[in-house]
Amino acid sequence: MLEAIDLTKKYGKYTALNQLDLSVKKGEIFCLLGQNGAGKTTTINLFLGLLEPTGGEALINGVPVKTNGNTTTKMIAFIPEVVQLYGNLSGIENLNFFSRLAGFTYSNAELSAFLLKAGLQEEAHKNRLESYSKGMRQKVGIAIALSKNASYIFMDEPTSGLDPKATLEFTKICKELSQEGKTIFMATHDIFNAVNVGTRIGIMKEGKLIYTANTNAINANELQDLYLKTI
């Protein structure tokens, strides 16, 4: 599982994350809501090992990130709001490059299979990324995560800027990955998609996790009302 124990991050006198205690089990899709500056991205960056905690621990599969970054990095993948890929390369060439960077070598057939599983139509595999929509880029990002055989996938605002059709496709892919045992940790502002895609949601405010619930226990309108009361 993913686990935060008393996880804290301070910048001088400013506390970006305040004693977070959280566990996310295998196969869960945990959606973290909150305003800008609430601590969502800080939480992700601590799990990714991009930041060092001021206090507490972030653990991935029981392994502390702070002291075992080389080990935990192999278990995870990250899909940012804007997936940084090479526009002059095709989808399959980008996937080949980033999978090799992670230490994996695949045939073209295997690379295409990852892209298809991520929802990218075959006719787009050899097109340059500069011609891709944001939704298509996100699918390449998911394919990269699959090629790394990542058990834990972190996402930061993955549906921002996606149209309803692309958001629906993205939600379907996330649920399929969850059913395969992948754990997804997603920071988002999208309340309605959080209820649709997530198995559990949390709300952060000023660096603190102030609410968690299973999504089958709350609907989007109830969550929106609750969220508006907390900000």
Side-chain angles (χ1 to χ4, degrees):
M1 67 171 69
L2 298 175
E3 192 172 12
I5 302 174
D6 202 29
L7 190 61
T8 301
K9 180 60 182 178
K10 294 184 178 182
Y11 298 96
K13 294 182 179 180
Y14 173 68
T15 302
L17 192 65
N18 193 352
Q19 297 179 313
L20 175 66
D21 289 308
L22 176 68
S23 61
V24 182
K25 296 179 181 179
K26 179 181 179 180
E28 276 198 289
I29 302 175
F30 187 88
C31 296
L32 189 59
L33 298 162
Q35 287 186 299
N36 290 336
K40 305 187 303 298
T41 300
T42 297
T43 301
I44 288 177
N45 285 337
L46 286 164
F47 274 111
L48 296 179
L50 300 177
L51 294 175
E52 186 169 316
T54 306
E57 281 191 317
L59 299 100
I60 298 177
N61 203 26
V63 179
V65 174
K66 181 178 178 179
T67 54
N68 297 274
N70 289 337
T71 299
T72 58
T73 297
K74 295 175 182 178
M75 306 180 198
I76 63 177
F78 175 52
I79 301 175
E81 181 176 354
V82 179
V83 180
Q84 298 297 322
L85 301 168
Y86 291 100
N88 62 326
L89 298 180
S90 68
I92 198 167
E93 287 170 339
N94 269 280
L95 177 57
N96 184 45
F97 174 78
F98 284 104
S99 60
R100 284 178 179 272
L101 202 62
F104 297 89
T105 302
Y106 297 105
S107 67
N108 281 341
E110 288 171 322
L111 293 169
S112 283
F114 286 128
L115 291 168
L116 287 170
K117 187 172 182 178
L120 189 67
Q121 295 180 337
E122 188 170 4
E123 56 266 30
H125 293 185
K126 295 183 179 181
N127 294 344
R128 289 189 176 187
L129 259 290
E130 59 192 14
S131 69
Y132 279 28
S133 67
K134 182 179 179 183
M136 294 167 74
R137 286 172 173 262
Q138 294 288 57
K139 290 172 182 178
V140 177
I142 292 171
I144 292 170
L146 294 173
S147 73
K148 288 184 64 180
N149 196 28
S151 298
Y152 305 91
I153 304 173
F154 293 86
M155 303 179 178
D156 197 359
E157 302 293 348
T159 58
S160 174
L162 296 187
D163 61 36
K165 182 176 183 292
T167 299
L168 185 63
E169 290 174 346
F170 178 81
T171 297
K172 180 176 180 289
I173 293 164
C174 287
K175 288 182 176 181
E176 289 172 353
L177 294 175
S178 170
Q179 290 168 358
E180 293 174 8
K182 305 290 186 184
T183 304
I184 297 174
F185 189 100
M186 182 189 304
T188 181
H189 285 106
D190 191 337
I191 291 171
F192 292 94
N193 190 60
V195 172
N196 287 334
V197 70
T199 54
R200 203 151 52 100
I201 57 98
I203 299 176
M204 294 199 83
K205 181 179 181 180
E206 297 175 351
K208 289 189 175 183
L209 183 65
I210 61 172
Y211 179 84
T212 60
N214 293 327
T215 52
N216 59 13
I218 191 168
N219 62 43
N221 289 328
E222 290 170 337
L223 180 57
Q224 180 176 252
D225 290 342
L226 179 65
Y227 179 69
L228 291 174
K229 290 176 182 177
T230 66
I231 62 175

